[in-house]
Amino acid sequence: PKPRPEPEPEPEPEQEPQAETEPEPAPEPEPEPEPEPEPVDDGPYADIKRFLRAGDFAELPEKGLMTICENAQLVRYSAGDTIMKKGEEGKCFYMIVSGTVGFSVEDDGTILRSRGPNEQFGEIALLNDSGTVTATASATTDVECYVLRKDS
């Protein structure tokens, strides 16, 4: 048998020169999630300390927080209850945990303004010996307050 001639290779088609491109940068690694803060163990005062730190008392030193914690009591009021009455001597400072308190100055009970969670009222009683209540405070919903008595 006669050897077969090898086929000639086909010429490669001409290619247009391509513009040089820079290699794409590797994607940046995703940042690691920040660790969750360790919960602070405030013992039996955890709830009130959390409340105080979230509000106007955030900058109060630990000793001041402890004084409030040791003397405040959690009190519950039902919707419609009078918490303090206009004209009486102010004896307590109230820190609202939940619910809404309405304030009226007229005998008809028309609510002029309301306060809710993380707000407070009655501070004049603690600051002034002759603190007279200037508005009646009533629970417009069920309310929980930390109450700090002037004499405590």
Side-chain angles (χ1 to χ4, degrees):
K2 201 172 175 185
R4 287 192 220 173
E6 291 204 23
E8 285 189 36
E10 290 187 29
E12 289 187 30
E14 284 188 37
Q15 294 182 354
E16 291 185 30
Q18 292 185 352
E20 286 189 31
T21 58
E22 290 191 29
E24 288 190 33
E28 290 187 32
E30 291 196 27
E32 300 224 0
E34 298 221 6
E36 290 290 322
E38 290 292 319
V40 176
D41 181 15
D42 285 321
Y45 301 121
D47 287 343
I48 189 168
K49 278 189 168 183
R50 188 172 33 258
F51 172 82
L52 293 169
R53 287 182 181 130
D56 292 338
F57 298 93
E59 302 299 319
L60 193 64
E62 185 68 18
K63 185 176 179 181
L65 284 175
M66 286 307 297
T67 299
I68 293 172
C69 291
E70 291 167 353
N71 291 289
Q73 294 180 328
L74 184 62
V75 179
R76 292 175 176 88
Y77 297 94
S78 296
D81 287 352
T82 298
I83 299 171
M84 62 182 195
K85 193 165 177 78
K86 178 183 172 186
E88 294 177 345
E89 178 187 351
K91 297 179 183 175
C92 299
F93 173 60
Y94 302 85
M95 298 165 277
I96 305 169
V97 175
S98 65
T100 306
V101 177
F103 297 88
S104 61
V105 293
E106 301 299 327
D107 292 335
D108 67 3
T110 302
I111 302 294
L112 297 178
R113 76 173 192 211
S114 296
R115 291 197 177 166
N118 295 326
E119 294 185 291
Q120 62 269 337
F121 61 97
E123 61 278 5
I124 301 301
L126 298 182
L127 302 174
N128 191 339
D129 283 339
S130 62
T132 301
V133 175
T134 58
T136 297
S138 302
T140 55
T141 65
D142 289 347
V143 172
E144 285 187 334
C145 292
Y146 283 111
V147 180
L148 186 60
R149 297 192 175 282
K150 184 186 224 177
D151 54 14
S152 57

